């Protein structure tokens, strides 16, 4: 009798252990994430810290490219694009430079743990009325391989990753 | 003859240091004068550059022919070409960078070379000049094109663009040294917006 009871309880516990996380995940996915239709990527703002011009533009271009790759937005507009003013469900992606350390590719090769290049930005996704949908610090770094400019690509990837975690595709694009 | 020899030797010993120092000083001065007389010649506008990114239709790191016309900057790659009108250029800024001497596919393959020889090879680096061109498309969208080229050529290309009517936030400084004079990896020669 006790053996039967204990088998039952073990089975129930196992079921709970396996089903619990699935239920939680299902619940969290059911909470609707915002699904903006269009995004306008603004040029990186660097008021206090100066970023070399090539890095500044590389961050902007790589962010645009990586945001496009996510497939989250139907329309992607560049900074200053006049068409954005007529777009529905528009959000603006802002990035404010918070830190920049230019490492050295040669140092990275000689001393593996030194010479890291890092760019830290504060990213915001804002609606045209000023409502902030997302507010986060993001980093792009090169630790081991690659030139310094690779930090801008990694930053773009990090921004795209944060967007993927917090937003979902609009319903129309989901079907297709 | 022989009695004079010690006297000569004495004289030589006495003045040897003075003569040597005078010779050294004259050598150093002449070298300095030579350096002042012949400043490095300005490089001509490059004909071939690498489009790092930011020019639509051109691949990343694609080598292309560059020419500055009366009203446009033309970049011609292997399969596509780009025309940027000078009037749409908002800013032209130079900078410097460095890259592995052996890059690309071969450079990647060297990382598998035995006895850390790939790491050793990656210590050999070449200096580069970069030219960042900010321009707007027909809808007003901002683009940031980055070109890389040999040291000293970026300033020549910037001069040609500015002469054609392109805007820049940092005026051309003729006294600026080319990237070859800077240490590898630093940004001492990079222009910064005011």
């Amino acid at each position: 009798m006790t053996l039967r009871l204990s088998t039952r309880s073990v089975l129930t516990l196992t079921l709970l252990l396996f089903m619990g996380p699935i239920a939680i995940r299902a619940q969290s996915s059911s909470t609707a994430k915002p699904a903006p239709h269009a995004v306008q990527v603004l040029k990186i703002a660097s008021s206090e810290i100066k970023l070399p011009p090539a890095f500044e533009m590389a961050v902007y271009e790589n962010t645009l490219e990586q945001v496009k790759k996510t497939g989250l937005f139907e329309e992607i507009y560049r900074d200053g694009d006049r068409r954005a003013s007529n777009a529905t469900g528009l959000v603006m992606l802002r990035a404010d430079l918070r830190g920049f350390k230019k490492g050295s590719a040669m140092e990275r090769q000689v001393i593996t743990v030194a010479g890291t290049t890092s760019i830290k930005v504060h990213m915001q996704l804002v609606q045209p009325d000023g409502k902030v949908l997302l507010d986060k610090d993001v980093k792009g770094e090169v630790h081991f391989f690659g030139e310094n400019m690779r930090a801008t690509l990694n930053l773009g990837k990090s921004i795209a990753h944060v967007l993927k975690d917090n937003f979902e595709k609009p319903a129309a694009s989901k079907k297709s | 003859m022989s009695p004079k020899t010690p006297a000569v030797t004495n004289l030589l010993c006495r003045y040897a240091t003075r003569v040597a120092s005078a010779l050294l000083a004259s050598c150093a001065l002449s070298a300095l004068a030579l350096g002042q007389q012949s400043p490095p010649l300005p490089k001509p506008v490059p004909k071939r550059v690498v489009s790092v990114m930011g020019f639509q239709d051109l691949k990343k790191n694609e080598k292309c022919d560059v020419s500055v016309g009366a009203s446009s900057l033309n970049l011609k790659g292997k399969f596509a070409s780009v025309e940027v009108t000078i009037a749409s250029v908002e800013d032209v800024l130079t900078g410097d960078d460095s890259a592995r001497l052996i890059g690309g596919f071969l450079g990647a393959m060297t990382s598998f070379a035995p006895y850390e020889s790939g790491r050793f090879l990656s210590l050999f680096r070449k200096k580069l000049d970069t030219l960042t061109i900010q321009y707007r498309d027909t809808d007003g969208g901002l683009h940031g094109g980055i070109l890389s080229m040999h040291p000293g050529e970026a300033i020549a290309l910037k001069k040609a663009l500015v002469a054609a009517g392109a805007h820049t936030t940092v005026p051309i400084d003729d006294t600026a040294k080319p990237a070859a004079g800077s240490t590898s990896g630093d940004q001492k020669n990079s222009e910064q917006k005011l």
Side-chain angles (χ1 to χ4, degrees), chain B residues 91-142:
Chain B
D91 208 351
V92 187
L93 293 162
T94 61
D96 53 14
D97 205 353
S98 69
R100 283 181 64 160
L101 199 61
I102 305 166
F105 179 72
L106 193 67
M109 292 308 287
T110 58
S111 59
F112 302 109
Y115 309 113
E116 301 281 342
S117 50
R119 187 180 281 223
F120 174 72
L121 284 173
S122 67
L123 295 178
F124 296 98
R125 303 181 70 78
K126 58 184 173 190
K127 284 174 183 117
L128 295 170
D129 262 14
T130 60
L131 192 72
T132 310
I133 301 166
Q134 286 179 38
Y135 64 98
R136 302 255 173 200
D137 56 28
T138 48
D139 294 310
L142 179 74

Side-chain angles (χ1 to χ4, degrees), chain A residues 6 8 41 45 47 49 60 67 83 87 89 93 105 124 149 152:
Chain A
S6 65
R8 247 184 222 175
V41 180
S47 47
I49 305 155
Y60 172 69
V67 169
R83 293 171 300 170
L93 176 62
Q124 275 189 325
M149 200 68 96
T152 63

Side-chain angles (χ1 to χ4, degrees), chain B:
Chain B
M1 195 74 188
S2 57
K4 280 181 186 175
T5 318
V8 171
T9 322
N10 276 343
L11 261 173
L12 270 174
C13 286
R14 209 169 176 183
Y15 293 107
T17 46
R18 281 185 194 180
V19 169
S21 57
L23 271 171
L24 266 173
S26 65
C27 277
L29 277 171
S30 60
L32 259 173
L34 269 174
Q36 279 176 351
Q37 275 172 1
S38 57
L41 289 169
K43 294 229 171 163
V45 177
K47 288 188 174 146
R48 203 155 170 80
V49 293
V50 176
S51 163
V52 180
M53 66 171 75
F55 293 101
Q56 278 180 336
D57 304 330
L58 287 181
K59 282 183 199 168
K60 276 187 176 181
N61 296 316
E62 186 178 346
K63 284 179 186 167
C64 54
D65 296 326
V66 64
S67 62
V68 182
S71 62
S72 63
L73 165 76
N74 301 296
L75 296 165
K76 195 179 172 190
K78 201 175 178 183
F79 301 109
S81 57
V82 174
E83 188 180 339
V84 179
T85 52
I86 297 286
S88 69
V89 176
E90 284 192 339
D91 208 351
V92 187
L93 293 162
T94 61
D96 53 14
D97 205 353
S98 69
R100 283 181 64 160
L101 199 61
I102 305 166
F105 179 72
L106 193 67
M109 292 308 287
T110 58
S111 59
F112 302 109
Y115 309 113
E116 301 281 342
S117 50
R119 187 180 281 223
F120 174 72
L121 284 173
S122 67
L123 295 178
F124 296 98
R125 303 181 70 78
K126 58 184 173 190
K127 284 174 183 117
L128 295 170
D129 262 14
T130 60
L131 192 72
T132 310
I133 301 166
Q134 286 179 38
Y135 64 98
R136 302 255 173 200
D137 56 28
T138 48
D139 294 310
L142 179 74
H143 292 253
I146 303 167
L147 298 171
S148 78
M149 57 208 81
H150 297 297
E153 288 181 345
I155 195 82
L157 187 55
K158 179 177 174 172
K159 271 182 189 172
L161 284 167
V162 171
H167 298 276
T168 180
T169 52
V170 181
I172 298 165
D173 182 12
D174 284 327
T175 57
K177 286 175 188 172
S182 64
T183 54
S184 101
D186 67 2
Q187 285 286 324
K188 282 175 190 167
N189 197 39
S190 282
E191 289 176 341
Q192 289 287 357
K193 285 182 195 175
L194 302 169

Side-chain angles (χ1 to χ4, degrees), chain A residues 2 22 38 47 63 65 69 82 91 108 113 121 146 148 167:
Chain A
T2 47
I22 294 167
S47 47
T63 305
E65 191 186 304
K69 274 187 185 172
R82 287 182 288 272
V91 286
R108 283 196 291 275
V113 288
V121 299
N148 292 331
F167 297 94

Side-chain angles (χ1 to χ4, degrees), chain A residues 40-47 49 51 56 59-60 63-64 67 79 92-99 119-126 134-139 155-156 159:
Chain A
Q40 185 172 29
V41 180
L42 303 181
K43 191 182 151 191
I44 187 166
S46 51
S47 47
I49 305 155
L51 199 62
E56 200 178 317
V59 168
Y60 172 69
T63 305
L64 265 163
V67 169
D79 190 341
M92 282 174 288
L93 176 62
R94 282 184 192 154
D96 190 21
L97 185 71
R98 291 290 160 93
I119 307 170
K120 194 178 174 186
V121 299
H122 180 74
M123 67 174 276
Q124 275 189 325
L125 218 69
V126 190
L134 182 73
D135 214 10
K136 200 161 186 173
D137 281 337
V138 189
K139 229 181 201 183
L155 179 67
I159 289 172

